């Protein structure tokens, strides 16, 4: 049901348990945990599940409810599906999709694997390729084996056999890969964000091809290597443990004299092209987002290779690096999605000066001097605050309550400003006849939830559900015609007002990598009019071709800039790339 007042409620999985860092972030934002014993089972705002939801779940979402999965958007997270999709895209679009090792789905493609091994042995008798076999239904390094001869291949269920990258970039003799975080809040239109920070995950034994059975040397999964005998030892260049953040990695690369700017642009392109490979199968939905973990290996020539894509990447804390990377990432992601900060001042201090907060706080304290602590967070000004609940979501101290007051006043001003802007826009495009309507026919703004902004169309206010049913021209009860804002696809507009046709370029360290820029890369042609179906989305072969064409152009320009300007700084290369492409956004580059 709609939450007219009260806190933002989060729900973790089906049993209330979830990753510890995720739980901490939700509580830090002032959200309240879902109560399983509550009489109303849909009394939640964000439901985070490690696995996906049934398809009928998405149809039942209210405008104030959000989930961390998009229907059918997990296809690329199965190793066999990812291999199949990338092969298909490579056949259609060619070398732009040459960023994943050759792979064969077993048992279906066993004969093709045999033919490839035979061909390689006939062409070069001295060559001995190494292959890696990964079970489709397992994760965290379980069931993985390496082999050189087909006679050594053993598998007990569906598996993917990939050509093993035999020349990985090593640090101190240790192999590593990257865990990169990707957020996709919309597939229609496609909107992809890549986080500027991530993890470099190391093996805990030195890399060698002479011992293929040593998983601590060949596999970089943290869940495996933290059990290794050398995990806590100080390893050459790497140190103790098995994780760095990307800032540490870039610092090492620069110290080693390696120019990495082109590497990161290739990775950005790789991410967008991989997400785009499953566009055909994604049905319309809104209030849903997908959070991926991309695993990328870098070889000795600084070429990135996509290993796999993970659904709901791990948000646990094995070491301090995990907390330093994942907690800010989650906070920034929730800000990106428009999810609120309810009873803390976390989002205020970049917007208000200390003097402004003190002034408004003093006024609030003086007006509430006779109010008890339990009553201080009630009333119209503090409808966003939590007044009770579990021990982990109790009221903030009295000084925090005054900050909540500031937050609520700021939100109201923001919403009023947005509504005034929409009103002005609508009035400028509305005929005089359509503006004159009896006051009794005007609808009042309904409360969808304390954190939701009102949605204004023309001279009336409606809920997001009502708004999405409108066409561009409607007939009023008095017979006049009124202009409405053009109807947008269900997945483009969220119930909290987020419109992914015009996504923010950046939120915190989340940087938009697609669309790169509307003017240069054709975002404006993703919408067109047809007499039979006005304002539909161009979605299918044409959109995929547009995306691939845009990324091809960007990749080619990045390569040219890198090769022709070897002495330029990263900032200068970024500026040159944006200028040549006409970008309105930013160039993604990890923190340095």
């Amino acid at each position: 049901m709609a939450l007219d007042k009260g806190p933002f409620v989060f729900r973790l999985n089906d049993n209330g348990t979830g990753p510890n860092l995720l739980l901490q972030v939700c509580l830090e934002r002032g959200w309240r945990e879902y109560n399983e014993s509550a009489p109303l089972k849909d009394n939640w705002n964000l439901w985070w599940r490690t696995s996906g939801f049934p398809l009928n779940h998405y149809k039942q979402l209210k405008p104030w409810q959000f989930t961390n999965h998009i229907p059918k958007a997990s296809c690329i997270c199965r190793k066999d599906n990812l291999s199949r999709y990338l092969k298909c895209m490579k056949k259609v679009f060619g070398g732009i999709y040459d960023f994943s090792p050759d792979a064969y789905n077993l048992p279906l493609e066993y004969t093709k694997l045999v033919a490839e091994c035979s061909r390689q042995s006939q062409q070069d008798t001295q060559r001995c390729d190494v292959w890696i076999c990964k079970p489709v239904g397992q994760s965290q390094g379980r069931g993985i084996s390496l082999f050189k001869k087909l006679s050594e291949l053993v598998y007990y269920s569906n598996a993917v056999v990939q050509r093993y990258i035999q020349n990985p970039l090593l640090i101190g003799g240790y192999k590593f890969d990257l865990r990169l975080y990707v957020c996709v809040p919309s597939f229609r239109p496609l909107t992809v964000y890549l986080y500027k920070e991530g993890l470099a995950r190391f093996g805990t034994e030195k890399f060698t091809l002479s011992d293929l059975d040593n998983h601590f040397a060949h596999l970089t999964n943290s869940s495996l290597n933290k059990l290794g005998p050398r995990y806590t030892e100080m390893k050459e260049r790497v140190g103790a443990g098995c994780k760095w953040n990307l800032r540490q990695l870039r610092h090492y690369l620069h110290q080693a004299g390696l120019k990495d700017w082109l590497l990161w642009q290739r990775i950005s392109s790789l991410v967008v092209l991989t997400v785009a490979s499953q566009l055909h199968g994604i049905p319309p939905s809104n209030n849903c987002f997908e959070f991926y973990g991309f695993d990328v290996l870098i070889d000795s020539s600084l070429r990135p290779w996509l290993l796999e894509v993970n659904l709901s990447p791990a948000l646990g804390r094995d070491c301090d690096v995990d907390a330093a990377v994942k907690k800010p990432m989650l906070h920034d992601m929730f800000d990106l999605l428009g999810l609120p900060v309810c009873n803390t001042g976390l989002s205020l201090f970049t917007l208000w000066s200390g003097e402004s907060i003190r002034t408004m706080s003093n006024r609030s304290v003086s007006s509430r001097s006779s109010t008890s602590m339990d009553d201080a967070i009630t009333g119209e000004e503090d409808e966003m605050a939590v007044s009770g609940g579990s021990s982990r979501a109790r009221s903030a101290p009295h000084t925090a309550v005054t900050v909540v007051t500031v937050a609520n006043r700021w939100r109201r001003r923001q919403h009023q400003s947005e509504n005034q802007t929409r009103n002005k826009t609508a009035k400028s495009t509305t005929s005089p006849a359509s503006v004159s309507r009896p006051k009794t026919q005007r609808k009042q703004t309904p409360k969808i939830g304390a954190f939701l902004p009102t949605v204004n169309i023309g001279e009336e206010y409606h809920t997001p559900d009502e708004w999405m049913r409108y066409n561009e021209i409607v007939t009023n009860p008095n017979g006049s015609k009124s202009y409405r804002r053009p109807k947008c696809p269900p997945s483009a507009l969220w119930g909290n007002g987020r419109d992914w046709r015009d996504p923010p370029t950046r939120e915190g360290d989340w940087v938009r990598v697609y669309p790169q820029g509307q003017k240069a890369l054709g975002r404006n042609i993703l919408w067109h009019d047809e007499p039979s179906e006005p304002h539909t989305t161009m979605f299918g072969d044409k959109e995929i071709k547009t995306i691939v064409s845009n990324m091809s152009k960007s990749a080619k320009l990045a390569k040219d800039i890198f090769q022709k300007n070897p002495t330029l700084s990263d900032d200068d290369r970024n500026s040159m790339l944006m200028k040549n492409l006409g970008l309105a956004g930013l160039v993604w580059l990890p923190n340095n």
Side-chain angles (χ1 to χ4, degrees), residues 44 46-47 53 57-58 61 65-69 287-289:
W44 53 268
L46 172 65
W47 191 349
F53 295 90
H57 166 85
Y58 300 97
L61 286 178
Q65 293 180 325
F66 306 88
T67 62
N68 68 315
H69 292 299
N287 286 20
C288 310
F289 63 96

Side-chain angles (χ1 to χ4, degrees), residues 414-430 453-459 461 467 485 493 496-499:
Q414 288 294 104
H415 296 165
Q416 290 172 1
S417 176
E418 292 173 2
N419 292 336
Q420 290 172 1
T421 302
R422 293 191 183 104
N423 277 329
K424 291 178 181 178
T425 303
K427 289 178 180 179
S428 64
T429 55
T430 306
T454 54
V455 180
N456 179 15
I457 304 181
E459 291 296 307
Y461 295 86
W467 187 13
R485 182 174 176 176
L493 180 69
N496 63 352
R498 276 287 191 265
D499 189 344

Side-chain angles (χ1 to χ4, degrees), residues 544-577:
I544 293 175
K545 288 178 181 178
T546 300
I547 293 169
V548 174
S549 174
N550 293 340
M551 300 313 299
S552 298
K553 180 180 178 182
S554 176
K556 184 177 183 301
L557 279 172
K559 184 177 180 180
D560 290 343
I561 291 172
F562 183 76
Q563 291 178 343
K564 296 177 180 179
N565 303 276
T567 61
L568 285 182
S569 66
D570 289 345
D571 290 339
D572 290 338
R573 291 191 182 104
N574 291 345
S575 299
M576 187 174 293
L577 181 62

Side-chain angles (χ1 to χ4, degrees), residues 117 128-131 146-152 209-210 212:
C117 292
C128 186
D129 286 338
V130 179
W131 300 85
L146 282 74
F147 64 93
K148 292 182 179 180
K149 300 178 181 179
L150 273 178
S151 58
E152 301 170 351
L209 291 175
S210 61
L212 298 182

Side-chain angles (χ1 to χ4, degrees), residues 196 250 254 260-262 264-265 506 561-562 565-580 583 585-592:
K196 289 172 66 69
R250 294 203 69 198
H254 292 173
D260 60 346
W261 182 83
L262 183 59
W264 305 114
Q265 303 318 306
R506 177 176 181 173
I561 291 172
F562 183 76
N565 303 276
T567 61
L568 285 182
S569 66
D570 289 345
D571 290 339
D572 290 338
R573 291 191 182 104
N574 291 345
S575 299
M576 187 174 293
L577 181 62
M578 287 190 290
K579 180 179 179 181
N580 290 340
L583 294 181
L586 297 174
V587 175
W588 177 80
L589 201 64
N591 292 322
N592 188 11

Side-chain angles (χ1 to χ4, degrees), residues 182-232:
V182 177
C183 179
V184 182
S186 171
F187 278 88
R188 301 188 177 187
L190 181 64
T191 308
V192 184
Y193 288 87
L194 185 56
Y195 198 59
K196 289 172 66 69
E197 193 55 276
L199 299 174
R201 308 179 305 171
F202 290 85
T204 50
E205 299 281 351
K206 289 202 172 183
F207 178 82
T208 175
L209 291 175
S210 61
D211 183 6
L212 298 182
D213 294 326
N214 186 354
H215 284 184
F216 298 119
H218 294 282
L219 304 184
T220 58
N221 304 74
S222 302
S223 56
L224 172 70
N225 279 282
K226 68 181 181 182
L227 305 176
R230 300 198 59 208
Y231 175 73
T232 57

Side-chain angles (χ1 to χ4, degrees), residues 472 483 485-488 501 524-538 542:
E472 183 176 4
Y483 174 84
R485 182 174 176 176
K487 181 180 178 181
C488 64
R501 294 172 301 175
N524 58 329
I525 67 169
L526 293 181
W527 310 93
H528 63 99
D529 296 332
E530 295 178 359
S532 59
E533 190 177 357
H535 300 286
T536 57
T537 309
M538 182 179 66
K542 192 173 181 181

